[in-house]
Amino acid sequence: MASATYPFTAVVGMDDMRLGLLLNAISPSIGGVLVRGEKGTAKSTMVRGIAALMPAVDVVTGCRFSCDPALPDPACPDGPHPDGADAAGDARAARMVELPVGASEDRLVGALDIERALSEGVKAFEPGLLADAHRGVLYVDEVNLLHDHLVDLLLDAAAMGSSYVEREGVSVRHAARFLLVGTMNPEEGELRPQLLDRFGLTVEVAASRETDERVEVVRRRLAYDEDPAAFAAKWAAEEDALRERIAAARALLPGVRLGDGALRRIAAVCAGFEVDGMRADIVTARTATALAAWAGRTDVTAEDVRQAALLALPHRRRRNPFDAPGLDEDRLDEILRQFEEDEPEPEPEDPDGGPDDGPGGGENPEDGQPGTPDVPEQREEPARGDDGGVDSPAPREPSAAPEDAPSAQADQPDPAGQSDRSEDGESVVVGAAEPFRTRKLDVPGLGEGADGRRSRARTAHGRTTGARRPRGALSKLHLAATVQAAAPHQRARGRSGPGLVVRRDDLREAVREGREGNLVLFVVDASGSMAARKRMGAVKGAVLSLLLDAYQRRDKIGMITFRGSGAAVALPPTSSVEAGAARLEKLPTGGRTPLAAGLLQAHEVLRLERLRDPSRRPLLVVVTDGRATGGPEPLVRASRAARLLAGEGTASVVVDCESGPVRLGLAGELGRELRGPVVTLDELRADSVSALVRTVTNTNSRRAA
């Protein structure tokens, strides 16, 4: 027997997530909720709990797409269904469907049987998870780890309320309306701003730091694990009360009035925060209406607008990939206060022409039953800058100090108020210069890694380059190749009419070429030779630019730094480019230059990553002036480490940070040992992108020869 679901009302704290889920249960048109937070904070437990509170649904008997017998979908693949008095239906609980991170496109949207479509002329369709979730809850854990095209399909279906499947001119459409809940750990990487915008609401969750609250969490969880049925029975009354309140709010929702004053407040807030597009205004309006219905009111108040903005706008304030979602509440209050001063709301009138109580005149309903959540009055937000994003230092211009005067430069004040030191000086932290658009760096050859935008690869999406026999289920039909394979056998198969007799052996799938994401591993020289010549600000700006490029090209990134007596993995390979930018900003400099240690550490990281993800090809980016001063025979050891990496076929690029009129050319020597191109900081800019692409290709062609 399956154990009872952990009661939604028994979850301790988590007010923001609780409210976001409840508002979407009341008004699914809000567009779902994205939950951002650390592991072990009851995210999955609360999603399962809200699914258990959803009202039961009536479905057409035998329909795999959960059509409503009172209003069946005319385009349902299992239809047409009778409606009205002739409709036969069954009542069942709303489903909660989970989308795994490794799901394929066919598993998400469903699959057509191309063989039967060609040979029998029928639309044989196997429903996917979108069909299963119709009129229920679709839960996507670690949504930021899904492939971008799957997230696009998912959010398109959520926005349109339907799913389309097309294969070589054969198409199927079915309804797909569901409460969408996505969860993610920001440390694993952020969603693109375009995808963030498609989620209606976002909330931040974190484990409580209050001792009493943590004790209560453990006490309840242990009680549930000991006897799930008894624990659920203890909370049954609270669950029933909340279920009734959700149903009442749903019934009240169509009668909630969103007055002109509330609409103007919403527009003022969205304009004041300079959010892109109009989706923010629409979602905020729907959320404010649901808040009023949840409170039992028929008018939207100014507080509803404020609370809706706190849920609907934080993830839409993100201006670049290194900003964390957030909203400045003081700025929000200032905008609303300014609105009240500049444009006081007129006294509303009721439909009969008489005076009305106004948007603030409705009485709050009495408190719900014990354990029933209510609208939280306060929200705690992580520390943000004035614009809602993570504070970052002011840009710095790279220094053009001569190389032959390190001590003189070290005595000059740093623009950021920090003093750089020579190789043997103390560690310092230097701010990054302004990032710029970089040249395109790619890995030569043809890979088979995850979809991305960097290097050439065989992918599920892209231009068709050939055909082959299908490996498993056929998904991408190559029609011309299939017809060509079947044509010679028509007489032997007894073809008598105009149709084409196609068998399984004739089917061919398309081979496509697109772009893949790579593992970009940065090896950054943080020694005193970099800091002493006032170069570290420019170097950090260059690495920050490359991180931004990696984000846009859907790469994984990692970072190794070397200084002093050895090398360290500053950031293990991850999809979180934001984490890389944060580590880079805090990177100290100073000490000697153990170049060999940095290269050997890179070799070990790449070895482990090949075991974890053998299809993802690496690109090694070494940022250094080429000096080596750590350990015995430092240049010889660095040369051996470079040849070790080159011998394993690792594609490499050396970013030469040496500056000044006198140059030793050590970075060029390192590039030759790595068998990769060498570019200066100035050449890294995107002004002459084609030259670098040719350099990378030609260098690796010579290596392959």
Side-chain angles (χ1 to χ4, degrees):
M1 179 182 296
S3 59
T5 301
Y6 192 95
F8 186 81
T9 52
V11 176
V12 179
M14 313 294 287
D15 289 340
D16 287 350
M17 182 175 178
R18 187 189 310 272
L19 180 60
L21 291 173
L22 287 170
L23 293 177
N24 275 274
I26 294 167
S27 177
S29 63
I30 288 174
V33 58
L34 176 65
V35 184
R36 306 172 75 255
E38 58 198 32
K39 304 177 184 71
T41 48
K43 298 188 293 290
S44 301
T45 298
M46 292 195 74
V47 175
R48 294 185 179 92
I50 196 66
L53 294 173
M54 299 281 285
V57 294
D58 292 327
V59 298
V60 173
T61 303
C63 178
R64 299 173 297 167
F65 300 87
S66 302
C67 281
D68 187 348
L71 192 63
D73 181 6
C76 176
D78 284 354
H81 302 302
D83 56 5
D86 298 330
D90 301 310
R92 64 161 175 80
R95 292 173 178 160
M96 193 201 82
V97 177
E98 295 190 49
L99 175 64
V101 171
S104 65
E105 180 179 341
D106 287 346
R107 184 71 185 99
L108 176 64
V109 302
L112 285 167
D113 190 332
I114 301 296
E115 182 178 0
R116 292 189 62 192
L118 290 176
S119 60
E120 302 176 26
V122 298
K123 293 182 181 180
F125 182 70
E126 183 66 28
L129 295 176
L130 292 180
D132 293 341
H134 180 46
R135 304 174 69 194
V137 178
L138 180 60
Y139 174 48
V140 188
D141 193 16
E142 304 293 350
V143 63
N144 52 323
L145 300 184
L146 281 177
H147 288 307
D148 283 349
H149 76 281
L150 289 182
V151 180
D152 284 329
L153 290 171
L154 174 66
L155 295 176
D156 280 342
M160 296 187 297
S162 60
S163 175
Y164 292 85
V165 182
E166 296 192 9
R167 294 288 189 275
E168 301 297 337
V170 182
S171 62
V172 171
R173 188 200 72 83
H174 64 82
R177 293 183 294 275
F178 44 80
L179 192 168
L180 175 63
V181 183
T183 60
M184 58 175 282
N185 183 348
E187 293 180 357
E188 296 294 333
E190 289 281 1
L191 281 171
R192 288 183 289 139
Q194 298 91 330
L195 298 179
L196 278 174
D197 184 54
R198 303 288 289 277
F199 278 95
L201 311 178
T202 186
V203 296
E204 298 273 353
V205 297
S208 173
R209 300 299 185 259
E210 295 293 331
T211 301
D212 292 341
E213 195 165 296
R214 295 175 74 96
V215 168
E216 186 61 22
V217 170
V218 176
R219 181 182 292 118
R220 293 185 186 183
R221 185 69 209 190
L222 293 178
Y224 171 79
D225 292 340
E226 183 178 349
D227 192 342
F231 185 83
K234 179 181 177 181
W235 291 88
E238 285 79 3
E239 292 284 286
D240 290 341
L242 184 56
R243 189 177 291 107
E244 291 175 3
R245 188 173 176 187
I246 292 172
R250 277 190 165 192
L252 180 61
L253 185 65
V256 175
R257 189 173 68 90
L258 184 66
D260 187 65
L263 279 173
R264 296 184 71 84
R265 285 190 185 91
I266 291 169
V269 168
C270 293
F273 280 107
E274 299 180 348
V275 295
D276 296 331
M278 295 300 298
R279 185 177 283 115
D281 303 63
I282 296 170
V283 171
T284 305
R286 289 171 175 168
T287 305
T289 304
L291 280 163
W294 172 244
R297 288 183 273 102
T298 56
D299 288 288
V300 174
T301 67
E303 181 57 29
D304 292 332
V305 173
R306 182 184 187 278
Q307 186 68 46
L310 289 172
L311 294 169
L313 298 187
H315 56 306
R316 297 183 167 92
R317 282 283 300 130
R318 195 171 171 213
R319 312 308 297 180
N320 67 65
F322 304 139
D323 288 341
L327 197 70
D328 186 349
E329 290 195 42
D330 292 337
R331 172 64 177 154
L332 173 61
D333 292 335
E334 179 185 344
I335 292 173
L336 290 173
R337 185 168 54 252
Q338 186 68 32
F339 173 83
E340 298 295 341
E341 294 174 358
D342 293 347
E343 190 173 355
E345 183 178 0
E347 195 71 25
E349 297 182 359
D350 65 18
D352 297 328
D356 194 56
D357 291 334
E363 295 294 329
N364 288 330
E366 61 183 358
D367 293 337
Q369 299 295 325
T372 302
D374 210 332
V375 178
E377 294 183 357
Q378 296 181 346
R379 290 166 50 94
E380 294 185 1
E381 292 286 340
R384 304 290 183 211
D386 292 338
D387 63 348
V390 177
D391 288 334
S392 59
R396 297 180 55 211
E397 292 298 327
S399 174
E403 288 220 13
D404 55 356
S407 58
Q409 293 293 332
D411 293 334
Q412 296 180 5
D414 185 271
Q418 299 162 324
S419 296
D420 292 336
R421 304 297 181 188
S422 62
E423 291 193 18
D424 298 321
E426 63 184 45
S427 300
V428 294
V429 176
V430 180
E434 187 72 16
F436 51 85
R437 189 167 65 90
T438 67
R439 293 180 171 186
K440 181 184 175 185
L441 309 175
D442 59 6
V443 179
L446 192 64
E448 294 186 351
D451 287 349
R453 295 186 176 181
R454 184 171 296 279
S455 306
R456 293 176 55 229
R458 294 187 181 92
T459 59
H461 303 273
R463 64 186 181 90
T464 300
T465 59
R468 66 185 178 192
R469 293 182 181 274
R471 301 173 180 177
L474 177 67
S475 57
K476 302 291 184 182
L477 177 71
H478 194 297
L479 186 58
T482 299
V483 172
Q484 186 176 9
H489 308 290
Q490 296 306 296
R491 180 177 298 178
R493 293 173 183 174
R495 171 187 166 189
S496 58
L500 187 69
V501 181
V502 180
R503 295 180 180 174
R504 175 70 186 176
D505 291 343
D506 301 327
L507 297 179
R508 299 292 184 271
E509 67 180 7
V511 176
R512 299 173 184 256
E513 182 179 312
R515 292 281 172 176
E516 67 178 359
N518 298 108
L519 167 61
V520 182
L521 182 61
F522 296 94
V523 180
V524 182
D525 185 347
S527 65
S529 67
M530 302 289 284
R533 291 158 182 79
K534 300 289 185 180
R535 291 197 301 259
M536 203 58 199
V539 169
K540 284 189 175 183
V543 177
L544 195 65
S545 304
L546 290 167
L547 285 171
L548 179 60
D549 181 68
Y551 168 83
Q552 294 169 339
R553 299 188 187 280
R554 315 294 185 261
D555 294 316
K556 288 181 69 175
I557 60 112
M559 188 182 301
I560 293 170
T561 63
F562 58 94
R563 58 183 289 268
S565 59
V569 180
L571 182 70
T574 177
S575 298
S576 179
V577 177
E578 300 80 6
R583 302 286 175 88
L584 180 69
E585 284 293 331
K586 299 176 182 178
L587 176 65
T589 60
R592 303 187 72 80
T593 313
L595 176 58
L599 296 176
L600 291 174
Q601 184 69 70
H603 176 268
E604 179 63 15
V605 169
L606 293 179
R607 184 186 69 82
L608 294 176
E609 282 302 305
R610 287 190 184 98
L611 296 176
R612 296 189 183 102
D613 189 358
S615 65
R616 188 180 290 269
R617 297 187 294 163
L619 175 63
L620 185 67
V621 179
V622 184
V623 185
T624 181
D625 57 8
R627 294 170 181 260
T629 59
E633 298 185 318
L635 288 175
V636 174
R637 294 176 62 244
S639 177
R640 290 173 181 168
R643 288 197 298 269
L644 177 64
L645 287 163
E648 294 183 345
T650 303
S652 304
V653 175
V654 176
V655 179
D656 183 1
C657 302
E658 193 173 32
S659 60
V662 179
R663 297 172 183 253
L664 301 178
L666 296 176
E669 292 291 339
L670 178 63
R672 282 186 284 276
E673 297 288 357
L674 287 170
R675 301 179 190 173
V678 180
V679 294
T680 65
L681 290 175
D682 290 337
E683 292 170 345
L684 188 61
R685 296 178 179 270
D687 300 331
S688 56
V689 59
S690 58
L692 180 60
V693 174
R694 288 196 300 270
T695 303
V696 174
T697 304
N698 293 339
T699 300
N700 286 276
S701 296
R702 290 195 299 271
R703 180 182 62 194

